[in-house]
Amino acid sequence: MMRKPIVAGNWKMNKTCAEAADLVSGIIRELAEVTHVDVVVCPPFTALRTVSEAISDTNIDLGAQDLHWEKRGAYTGEISSEMLRELFCHYVILGHSERRQYFGETSESVNRKVHAALEASLRPIVCVGERLEEREAGRTSEVVESHVRGSLAGLSKSQWLQVVVAYEPVWAIGTGRTASPEQAQEVHEFIRALIGEMSDSHVAEAVRIQYGGSIKPDNARELFAQPDIDGGLVGGASLEARSFAQIVRAAIPEGAQE
Ligand code: PGA
């Protein structure tokens, strides 16, 4: 099956509204003509409206970096799916390792958020991945399996088809240390097989699995060339229009005309 690649920029806690407007106009200039890759930008909450307005007539899609599972209520500091939908968000990153590491996020809370996102017709980009000590102890598959099974429990087939999984080995995030294409492919293949067990083989073939962790213009192409890697979740290199655009172009399938 041909899965359409998807490249998302996770801006994390970077860019004021003015800076976000600048960055997104650069991204629009660079990527206006790209149609063979789904392109998503995920600014901080405060810049969502600015970016949403800027991309309204383009192929570029908007994502948020988190949400709360309740629709409204006494949850100081939180943001609901309804609030994101109002700003024309179509994607939301959930369970990023920084949220798991610094903010007590667990696969159980991620799962509640995944269901809340799907109910609101937001597509979750669900992050999974092992820490360095877990890889060194030979526990990569165990950790990834528990993230996938826990974070994505209880989905119907049609819900699965809305999900994007992002495999992000924690030791490769922001460190300049990328997983080799073979290391990444091995885990992606494992995740796809797990999805097959949790759902069925048709769903497993259709779900897009991104790689994330120090993707740069010079390593993107060989990562995206792997059979089970369907694009990337890009942090640092998404903060600059030129490097983000180069990474997006590296995901254009061979033979596709842009
Ligand atoms: P990085 O971040 O590209 O800066 O390593 C990736 C991510 O955390 O999504």
Side-chain angles (χ1 to χ4, degrees), residues 117-146:
L118 290 168
E119 258 172 52
S121 301
L122 283 164
R123 294 166 178 243
I125 298 177
V126 181
C127 305
V128 302
E130 80 288 358
R131 298 197 305 263
L132 182 59
E133 60 272 26
E134 293 166 334
R135 174 163 282 263
E136 285 174 346
R139 296 183 52 224
T140 298
S141 345
E142 179 197 329
V143 171
V144 169
E145 175 160 4
S146 113

Side-chain angles (χ1 to χ4, degrees), residues 10 12 96 98 168 172-175 212-216 233-237:
N10 174 9
K12 307 193 180 182
H96 190 278
E98 286 149 16
E168 299 206 303
I173 295 178
T175 58
S214 297
I215 301 187
K216 302 282 179 272
L233 183 55
V234 187

Side-chain angles (χ1 to χ4, degrees), residues 1-256:
M1 167 183 294
M2 259 311 262
R3 291 177 293 271
K4 187 173 184 186
I6 173 166
V7 176
N10 174 9
W11 296 4
K12 307 193 180 182
M13 196 176 72
N14 295 293
K15 306 294 175 189
T16 61
C17 283
E19 291 165 347
D22 226 40
L23 174 57
V24 78
S25 71
I27 291 173
I28 294 167
R29 250 194 326 273
E30 293 273 349
L31 293 175
E33 83 291 5
V34 172
T35 53
H36 290 92
V37 179
D38 285 339
V39 180
V40 185
V41 289
C42 305
F45 291 130
T46 45
L48 282 173
R49 179 179 290 281
T50 302
V51 174
S52 180
E53 285 169 1
I55 62 177
S56 62
D57 290 328
T58 73
N59 287 331
I60 298 165
D61 241 318
L62 187 65
Q65 298 175 21
D66 193 17
L67 55 63
H68 191 272
W69 55 78
E70 293 293 345
K71 289 199 173 69
R72 66 189 67 80
Y75 300 99
T76 302
E78 294 293 321
I79 300 285
S80 74
S81 57
E82 205 170 88
M83 296 166 183
L84 298 179
R85 287 292 313 182
E86 190 187 28
L87 297 172
F88 304 102
C89 264
H90 292 126
Y91 290 86
V92 59
I93 299 171
L94 294 175
H96 190 278
S97 66
E98 286 149 16
R99 301 228 43 99
R100 292 181 191 258
Q101 187 177 349
Y102 306 129
F103 304 102
E105 192 90 78
T106 62
S107 290
E108 196 189 346
S109 58
V110 175
N111 187 240
R112 294 178 79 167
K113 293 178 176 193
V114 166
H115 283 276
L118 290 168
E119 258 172 52
S121 301
L122 283 164
R123 294 166 178 243
I125 298 177
V126 181
C127 305
V128 302
E130 80 288 358
R131 298 197 305 263
L132 182 59
E133 60 272 26
E134 293 166 334
R135 174 163 282 263
E136 285 174 346
R139 296 183 52 224
T140 298
S141 345
E142 179 197 329
V143 171
V144 169
E145 175 160 4
S146 113
H147 283 176
V148 172
R149 287 197 186 274
S151 309
L152 292 160
L155 300 187
S156 68
K157 284 181 191 163
S158 61
Q159 287 177 321
W160 263 113
L161 297 174
Q162 303 302 311
V163 168
V164 176
V165 178
Y167 169 57
E168 299 206 303
V170 179
W171 47 272
I173 295 178
T175 58
R177 206 177 142 181
T178 326
S180 70
E182 297 72 27
Q183 275 175 325
Q185 166 58 24
E186 192 183 353
V187 181
H188 280 237
E189 196 177 340
F190 173 71
I191 293 171
R192 199 172 299 291
L194 264 179
I195 297 172
E197 284 174 27
M198 294 171 72
S199 183
D200 65 22
S201 57
H202 167 75
V203 167
E205 274 307 300
V207 171
R208 294 178 294 181
I209 308 177
Q210 296 176 312
Y211 169 79
S214 297
I215 301 187
K216 302 282 179 272
D218 59 2
N219 61 23
R221 196 171 293 280
E222 52 175 0
L223 285 160
F224 298 160
Q226 297 298 313
D228 287 296
I229 300 184
D230 309 309
L233 183 55
V234 187
S238 73
L239 297 175
E240 208 260 312
R242 175 61 56 90
S243 56
F244 184 62
Q246 285 170 340
I247 293 170
V248 169
R249 286 201 202 93
I252 297 172
E254 214 138 289

